[in-house]
Amino acid sequence: MSNYDKVLIRFGDLMLKGKNQRIFREKAIALLKKNVIDLNVKLEKRHDRLFLVINDVEESIIKERLMRVSGVGSFSFVVTTEPNYETMALKAIELIKKEVKKPTTFKVETKRTDKSLNETSQEITQILARSVLKETSDLLTVDVRNPELTLYFEIRADEAFIYLDSIKGLGGFPVGAAGRGLLLLSGGIDSPVAGFLAMKQGIEIEAIHFESTPMTSIESAQKVLDLAKKMSLYAQRHEIKVHMVPFSKIHEEIINRISPSYVVTVMRRMMFRLAEMKAHKTKSLAIITGESVGQVASQTLESMVTIEAVTTLPILRPLITMDKLDIIDISKRIDTYDLSILPFEDCCTVYTPKNASTTPSVKKALINEKFMANVEGLLEEAINDIKTFVISPNHPVNLIEHGFTVKEAWEAMHDHIEGQ
Ligand code: ATP
Ligand code: MG
C-alpha cells in the first residue's frame, strides 16, 4: 500500500500565456492519460490543480509513467486530509514516520487559499511545525535555511494536502505541441537521444534510417527498429514511424566512384538529400540528427557546412555541444544505451575509409559527385522503395528470427494487416 492517495502534477508552462497555455495543457493532459490508461488510476481536476488518484497502484509504477510525459515539470505524492490543524499534524506525523528513515533537517511550508482562516500562513506553519516536532524530535531538527526535507501543507476550504519534496519531471513541452521533425536514426548512441530530446521539447518525430543490407547485417536494421520501440514510449500515441531507405546501391556507387577522403562527406550529403525529399512528403518542418561537434571527421564545423549545403530545411542538432558522457547518461535513462552499444556495423562504419577529410569543401564534394552515375535516378528509386514501419512498445517486428529481409518483413506485415 502506498503512503499516499494522490499525485499532484505540475506542468512547466509558467512561461506560456493565454491560448498557448490552454493548448499546452490539453495536449499534456491527453499525453498523461495515454500513459496511465492501463492503470487503475483517475485524473482529477480540482481547484486549479491536476491530481492523479492512485488507488492501489504502486508508487514506482506511477513514477515511471509520469517520467515519460513531456511537459510535466514536477510532481508530488500527496496525502489528502480534512483541513483542520490537528488532523493535518497527525497525518503528517504518520507520513514522516513511514518515509523518513534517518535523522534529517527539515522545515514546514504552508500555502493557504482559504482566506477565511484567522491565522496567517506563517502562524499556521508554526502551529503545525510545533505539533509535528513534538512527535518526531528523534528524527527531525528544524533548519529553515537549508533543510534536507520540506514538509508542505496546502490548505483549501474543503481539504488539505500534505507532501514532502517534489520529483522533477521531464519538463519541456508535450510532444506534438511543436510540429513535426524527421529524425535521422542510426544504430548509435546519439541519434536516439537526439530524438528523445526533440520529443521532450514538443516535436513529434518520424524516423528515417538508411540501411545498407545486405552489405550490412540484418541485425543492424533490427537494432534501429528496436531503438524506435524504446523511443516510442515518449511519442504522442506511443508510435514512431520508421522509414527504412534501401541505401546499398547508393552506398556501393559512392564507394566505387568517390575518392576515399570524400566518401563519408558524399554519403552524408546523399542521406541529407533523401531526408529532405522524405521530409517534404511527410510534412516535416526540420531534419534532426545526433551530431555533436568534433566527435568524428564528419562532425567538424567545416564538414557540417559542406554536408548541409544540399538542403534548405533547418537541421536541428540537439546534442551539438553536449559532452559524450552526458549523452550516455541520457541514453541510459531512456534505456537505449544497451541496444546502441551492440556491435553491429551500419553503413557509416562498414567499408568507409579511415582517412576521411575533416575539412571537406562543397566545391570538391560536387566534383566528386560528378563521377557517380545517375544520382537523381538512384535517389528517386531509393525514395520510392522506402518501407515504413509503425513501431510501438509492443511491436513484434523480428527480422532476425524469421530470416526476413527488411522488404520481406514489411510485406509480411502488410499482408497481415490487409488480411485482417
Ligand atoms: P550516432 O551515435 O547517432 O550513430 P555518431 O556519433 O555515430 O552518431 P555518425 O555516424 O557520423 O555519428 O552520424 C551522425 C548522425 O547522422 C547520426 O546521429 C544520425 O542522426 C545520422 N546518421 C548516421 N548514419 C545514419 C543512418 N544509417 N541512417 C540514418 N541516420 C544516420
Ligand atoms: Mg553512428
Side-chain angles (χ1 to χ4, degrees), residues 85 88 108-112 117-131 153 155:
Y85 302 153
M88 285 161 57
V108 171
E109 266 197 26
T110 311
K111 269 188 221 155
R112 52 165 209 156
L117 293 172
N118 293 325
E119 297 83 7
T120 63
S121 291
Q122 206 169 4
E123 285 163 347
I124 302 170
T125 295
Q126 278 168 8
I127 294 169
L128 291 170
R130 221 175 289 136
S131 310
F153 292 97
I155 310 169

Side-chain angles (χ1 to χ4, degrees), residues 184-192 208-210 268 271 288-291 295-296 298-299 324 346-348:
L184 270 67
L185 180 60
S186 67
I189 293 172
D190 304 327
S191 45
I208 188 166
H209 176 68
F210 305 95
R268 301 190 56 71
M271 287 185 186
I288 304 160
T289 79
E291 289 161 305
Q295 272 197 12
V296 287
S298 63
Q299 297 177 19
K324 191 76 188 183
D346 67 5
C347 65
C348 293

Side-chain angles (χ1 to χ4, degrees), residues 181-317:
L182 185 62
L183 171 71
L184 270 67
L185 180 60
S186 67
I189 293 172
D190 304 327
S191 45
V193 172
F196 161 74
L197 290 176
M199 288 194 277
K200 185 171 98 61
Q201 212 57 19
I203 301 173
E204 182 194 354
I205 61 167
E206 292 190 7
I208 188 166
H209 176 68
F210 305 95
E211 59 93 3
S212 289
T213 57
M215 292 166 75
T216 53
S217 67
I218 193 70
E219 279 84 356
S220 70
Q222 179 69 42
K223 183 177 172 185
V224 170
L225 298 179
D226 291 342
L227 284 168
K229 194 157 148 174
K230 295 279 183 194
M231 295 167 71
S232 67
L233 282 175
Y234 300 94
Q236 206 171 357
R237 283 176 290 278
H238 287 186
E239 275 178 6
I240 292 185
K241 281 188 186 159
V242 182
H243 306 291
M244 287 284 198
V245 186
F247 197 62
S248 57
K249 271 193 198 167
I250 298 174
H251 193 164
E252 227 179 324
E253 185 67 14
I254 293 172
I255 292 170
N256 292 339
R257 315 265 180 168
I258 302 295
S259 73
S261 64
Y262 267 71
V263 160
V264 171
T265 307
V266 171
M267 189 142 77
R268 301 190 56 71
R269 280 164 61 91
M270 294 301 159
M271 287 185 186
F272 274 59
R273 284 190 177 104
L274 288 162
E276 176 153 282
M277 288 158 86
K278 191 62 186 172
H280 287 310
K281 289 190 190 218
T282 55
K283 301 200 165 45
S284 295
L285 301 172
I287 290 171
I288 304 160
T289 79
E291 289 161 305
S292 173
V293 80
Q295 272 197 12
V296 287
S298 63
Q299 297 177 19
T300 60
L301 285 180
E302 287 92 342
S303 267
M304 286 188 209
V305 169
T306 299
I307 291 163
E308 74 172 37
V310 297
T311 74
T312 54
L313 281 176
I315 314 290
L316 309 185
R317 300 178 173 96

